[in-house]
Amino acid sequence: MRMWIAAILACATLAGGACAQERGAENRLCVRNADTRALLFAVEAPAGARLLRDLAPGERLCATGRAGEVGVVSVYESRAAIEGCSRLVPVGHVETLRRYVEFDRCFWDSNS
């Protein structure tokens, strides 16, 4: 019971309270768009494919990985953009982009 409570508290702390509760969430790495505009997002879990998709505000993109590993989530203004913002995120968490700002100065849940 103590381990279960500790896991919930750790998840809430690491993910800014945004832990996914769905079945299988511990094996997914996700990014969510909380900006006011549609942007291009990428998710790459270790030893997995890199997924790339335009996300409207409120949408999310997830890749499958293994719990305990760390993957990368990224955001770009458009498909033509050269620079974007990226974050290292543990598999099992949802990273939320709050606001996109050019040249790697984005506002993410995990750095607020």
Side-chain angles (χ1 to χ4, degrees):
M1 178 76 157
R2 286 184 193 177
M3 290 180 68
W4 181 75
I5 293 170
I8 290 173
L9 292 174
C11 186
T13 300
L14 290 173
C19 287
Q21 298 299 320
E22 299 110 19
R23 180 180 169 99
E26 67 276 1
N27 294 322
R28 286 196 305 246
L29 170 62
C30 300
V31 65
R32 186 174 72 87
N33 183 8
D35 196 288
T36 58
R37 58 191 167 148
L39 296 162
L40 178 66
F41 286 83
V43 175
E44 186 172 2
R50 183 173 194 250
L51 304 177
L52 190 68
R53 195 172 93 200
D54 292 305
L55 297 181
E59 290 186 322
R60 72 179 181 175
L61 176 64
C62 298
T64 301
R66 285 188 294 248
E69 294 186 333
V70 176
V72 179
V73 298
S74 305
V75 61
Y76 306 91
E77 191 166 21
S78 70
R79 293 184 185 268
I82 296 171
E83 295 282 334
C85 299
S86 297
R87 301 288 293 169
L88 294 174
V89 179
V91 173
H93 295 278
V94 177
E95 177 64 272
T96 299
L97 174 78
R98 292 289 165 199
R99 190 172 61 153
Y100 179 82
V101 182
E102 290 185 71
F103 305 113
D104 211 16
R105 296 182 186 207
C106 296
F107 293 87
W108 299 93
D109 265 1
S110 65
N111 69 353
S112 57

